[in-house]
Amino acid sequence: MSIKIESLTKRYGEQLVLDNISLQATKGEILGFLGPNGAGKSTTMKIITGYVKADSGSVEVCGLNALEEPIEIKQKIGYLPENNPLYDHMYVKEYLGFIASLHRLDHKKEIINDMIAKTGLTKEQNKKIKALSKGYRQRVGLAQAMLHDPEVLILDEPTSGLDPNQLGDIRSLIRKLGEEKTLIFSTHIMQEVEALCDRVVIIHEGQIVVDDHIQYLEKYKKAGFDRVLVEFEGPVDEKIFRQLSGFISCKKKGNYVYEIDGKSEITLRKELLGLAQNKQLPLIGLQKQEISVENVFQSLTK
């Protein structure tokens, strides 16, 4: 077990940020660590990496006690924090050389050139960091986190600011790293979670409310909550959906396409059919929507 957390508790003054949480992460899996702002994600990651001390509980990383051996732990972990602190006055290659020196790496030149190629920084390597776009700054942050070939990678919002082309490259890199290392991946982009993660942990108000493999998330949705996608041939007054007995909400998804949330999927579809017939609205499509990470996240953290 690369990461083992037991009964972790942390307060900032009177505020309880982490309330007796426990979780584990193993080599060869990408763990999606999710939660709304202020839920305790960043605090947990900072405790694992040794930047913040917990009030109680235990954290083990690669068999080492993170609370008692923070320096040794840092040698095992690569960390990209959310705000990605970089030295703006340094050149990209110069900065990575500085990080390599901190880690006392041998064969620095070869390691740096390899990491520049892996993270797509070849064309930017001789630029000052302050001249880089946000997407390329993220790449520099990823490069420094991976430079010393750590056993554990903790990435807080690693895809923030990347354009679609960059996103594909970094996704591929993260997937490959996830096969070889223990990887904790925190993001607010639910599509990234579905594309990359093997397992999902959701933290809310300092407590873990979900810890399961991504394919089993459907069991966590609220009892009786379902979503139906309905398409009509022409315009519809959205107010008519309020006549549905199980109606919760409506979201327009296209010209004549609506996403309806209700309390019972079977009843919801039956009532929508009846509504279309009564109002003489030509119906083109009616289908149940599969549960997503976003559905689970919203239902458990609102």
Side-chain angles (χ1 to χ4, degrees), residues 8-12 15-20 43 47 52-56:
L8 199 64
T9 299
K10 176 66 180 176
R11 291 181 181 272
Y12 289 120
Q15 184 181 3
L16 180 62
V17 180
L18 296 176
D19 185 7
N20 198 41
T43 297
I47 291 172
V52 170
K53 286 188 176 181
D55 295 331
S56 62

Side-chain angles (χ1 to χ4, degrees), residues 227-230 241 247 249-254 257-261 289 295:
R227 177 166 288 171
V228 172
L229 197 69
V230 58
F241 297 126
F247 178 81
S249 66
C250 170
K251 184 185 294 183
K252 193 170 183 180
K253 304 294 286 186
V257 181
Y258 302 88
E259 187 179 77
I260 311 295
D261 286 348
Q289 291 293 87
N295 298 152

Side-chain angles (χ1 to χ4, degrees), residues 140-209:
V140 175
L142 276 169
Q144 68 78 25
M146 298 185 295
L147 201 61
H148 58 299
D149 193 24
E151 295 178 47
V152 174
L153 271 173
I154 297 179
L155 308 178
D156 197 352
E157 301 286 345
T159 57
S160 174
L162 301 180
D163 66 36
N165 294 327
Q166 294 173 328
L167 199 55
D169 294 339
I170 297 301
R171 273 184 182 177
S172 298
L173 177 58
I174 290 173
R175 282 195 200 99
K176 186 174 181 181
L177 290 167
E179 295 172 1
E180 307 163 354
K181 303 179 183 298
T182 301
L183 201 154
I184 295 181
F185 176 84
S186 177
T187 182
H188 286 106
I189 305 170
M190 297 300 151
Q191 293 90 338
E192 290 299 285
V193 178
E194 293 178 320
L196 289 169
C197 297
D198 305 302
R199 201 170 113 233
V200 174
V201 170
I202 299 178
I203 186 170
H204 180 50
E205 295 181 348
Q207 295 184 329
I208 291 175
V209 293

Side-chain angles (χ1 to χ4, degrees), residues 39 43 130 143 240 271:
T43 297
K130 67 181 180 182
I240 67 169
E271 287 195 37

